[in-house]
Amino acid sequence: MTPSPDSTAIAWADPARRTAFEQWLAGIAARHALAPATLRSASSDASFRRYLRIDAADGASYIVMDAPPPQEDVRPFVAVAAMLQGAGLHAPEVLEQDAAQGFLLLTDLGSRLYLDELHAAVARRDTKLADSLMRDAIAALVQWQSRADARGMAPYDDALLRRELALFPDWCVTREYGVEWSAEQQRQWQATCDLLVASALAQPTVAVHRDYMPRNLMLAQPNPGILDFQDAVRGPISYDVASLLRDAFISWDEAQEIDWAVRYWESARRAALPVPDDFGEFWRQLEWMGLQRHLKVLGIFCRLKHRDGKPKYSQDLPRFFAYAHKVATRYNGLGPLARLLEPLMGTSRVDAFY
């Protein structure tokens, strides 16, 4: 007789969802020799999804995704997981699914986050380990881009890029800082958006993870394990490498960023991916793509704080302002953006002419 699922250690805001979960878990437990009494929290993220870990009689462990509809839809996760596996990459295998209710049983990639391993390596000044991990991530990214068939994926189009950029004035400028831009400042913002969108849309397109960063990579065999890929689209080739090198939760000095970017660019060329022949142009594409992402993330982190009651993400706002300001001061046409950012960052500029 299969034991009843033990979800008493797991908080459930909705009793009906808890009942549905227990019934679903009871129905699959015997097939995988699951031990429901071992059910426990594994992790959560910025969405409404959460992940639970459960053990099996043979000592193996599995992950349960709890993704409540209508806020979440597990079908994109299932589809992209299959794409990643088809490209020969290490993503969770979907063993059981109830798409209507938002429950999945997945293979467990472990609990050693790239982010934690990299922070520990930095603390120990273990540059060799950090470099090895990042090279593995770069190799996996090139494999994903060169083997995944992106033709059927939703496009990272003009409308999506602009919706993402709009998060910055809506949630960061207005809601977080209480700033109202003048008509001229709004014009400057729109001109910046036009430049960034045009740069993104001019790039060749590949399969884009959209959050390819150490927090979503696992130290695993084969390395890395890849998570949180359900929002994948067909989009600019520089997007994922920009996400990896200029991350939400760990930063590198620019010489190291450039070193890894060159390694990606060389590997991409060997794989016949459509990167520019000139690395300098690729680096510009990467910086501008990263800027679009960083402005979006500034808006998202503020939205998480004000709308979703998750204020911890706002602690990383200074990191993203620093990323964005550095790029905005570096390229012709982006200077007005730097001036929009500076008051929010608590800095001011004095222009002197001699």
Side-chain angles (χ1 to χ4, degrees), residues 77 80-81 83-85 87-93 106-107 109 114 136-137 139-144 209-220 222-230 240:
F77 182 96
V80 181
M83 287 184 65
L84 286 161
Q85 290 158 7
L89 295 169
H90 192 183
E93 181 182 353
L106 310 170
T107 53
L109 302 190
Y114 247 58
D136 282 353
L141 177 56
V142 171
Q143 186 169 326
W144 161 244
H209 180 292
R210 284 183 78 189
D211 265 323
Y212 196 75
M213 58 187 185
R215 193 170 183 264
N216 292 327
L217 301 176
M218 307 297 294
L219 191 63
N223 200 47
I226 303 173
L227 302 175
D228 204 22
F229 41 73
Q230 59 283 332
D240 280 343

Side-chain angles (χ1 to χ4, degrees), residues 227-257:
L227 302 175
D228 204 22
F229 41 73
Q230 59 283 332
D231 294 325
V233 293
R234 183 182 77 255
I237 193 168
S238 70
Y239 191 95
D240 280 343
V241 69
S243 303
L244 180 65
L245 299 186
R246 291 185 173 167
D247 179 39
F249 306 104
I250 189 170
S251 297
W252 310 98
D253 64 56
E254 190 165 58
Q256 181 63 83
E257 292 176 351

Side-chain angles (χ1 to χ4, degrees), residues 139-216:
L141 177 56
V142 171
Q143 186 169 326
W144 161 244
Q145 293 177 333
S146 58
R147 296 188 186 180
D149 184 352
R151 289 175 296 180
M153 303 176 80
Y156 216 148
D157 58 13
D158 183 284
L160 178 54
L161 288 162
R162 291 182 187 277
R163 283 200 303 273
E164 291 182 340
L165 284 165
L167 295 169
F168 176 69
D170 291 350
W171 289 96
C172 188
V173 178
T174 303
R175 188 67 180 272
E176 175 71 10
Y177 292 97
V179 172
E180 293 291 337
W181 281 339
S182 67
E184 175 59 19
Q185 288 173 316
Q186 291 175 11
R187 187 198 66 76
Q188 292 170 348
W189 168 250
Q190 289 304 321
T192 297
C193 291
D194 290 344
L195 288 173
L196 295 179
V197 170
S199 177
L201 294 179
Q203 295 182 40
T205 58
V206 292
V208 174
H209 180 292
R210 284 183 78 189
D211 265 323
Y212 196 75
M213 58 187 185
R215 193 170 183 264
N216 292 327

Side-chain angles (χ1 to χ4, degrees), residues 44-156:
S44 60
D45 58 27
S47 72
F48 292 93
R49 293 182 303 273
R50 64 174 175 173
Y51 303 89
L52 311 174
R53 183 169 274 113
I54 190 168
D55 296 333
D58 62 1
S61 63
Y62 298 89
I63 295 294
V64 175
M65 180 193 291
D66 170 27
Q71 295 93 344
E72 301 292 339
D73 181 358
V74 299
R75 291 172 297 179
F77 182 96
V78 173
V80 181
M83 287 184 65
L84 286 161
Q85 290 158 7
L89 295 169
H90 192 183
E93 181 182 353
V94 179
L95 303 173
E96 300 280 353
Q97 59 178 293
D98 185 334
Q101 298 194 95
F103 300 131
L104 300 178
L105 181 70
L106 310 170
T107 53
D108 189 354
L109 302 190
S111 56
R112 299 183 66 185
L113 277 177
Y114 247 58
L115 182 63
D116 296 339
E117 300 293 329
L118 288 169
H119 276 306
V122 170
R124 297 193 306 268
R125 299 189 178 181
D126 189 348
T127 56
K128 184 176 179 180
L129 176 59
D131 186 57
S132 175
L133 292 177
M134 291 295 282
R135 288 195 194 197
D136 282 353
I138 289 167
L141 177 56
V142 171
Q143 186 169 326
W144 161 244
Q145 293 177 333
S146 58
R147 296 188 186 180
D149 184 352
R151 289 175 296 180
M153 303 176 80
Y156 216 148

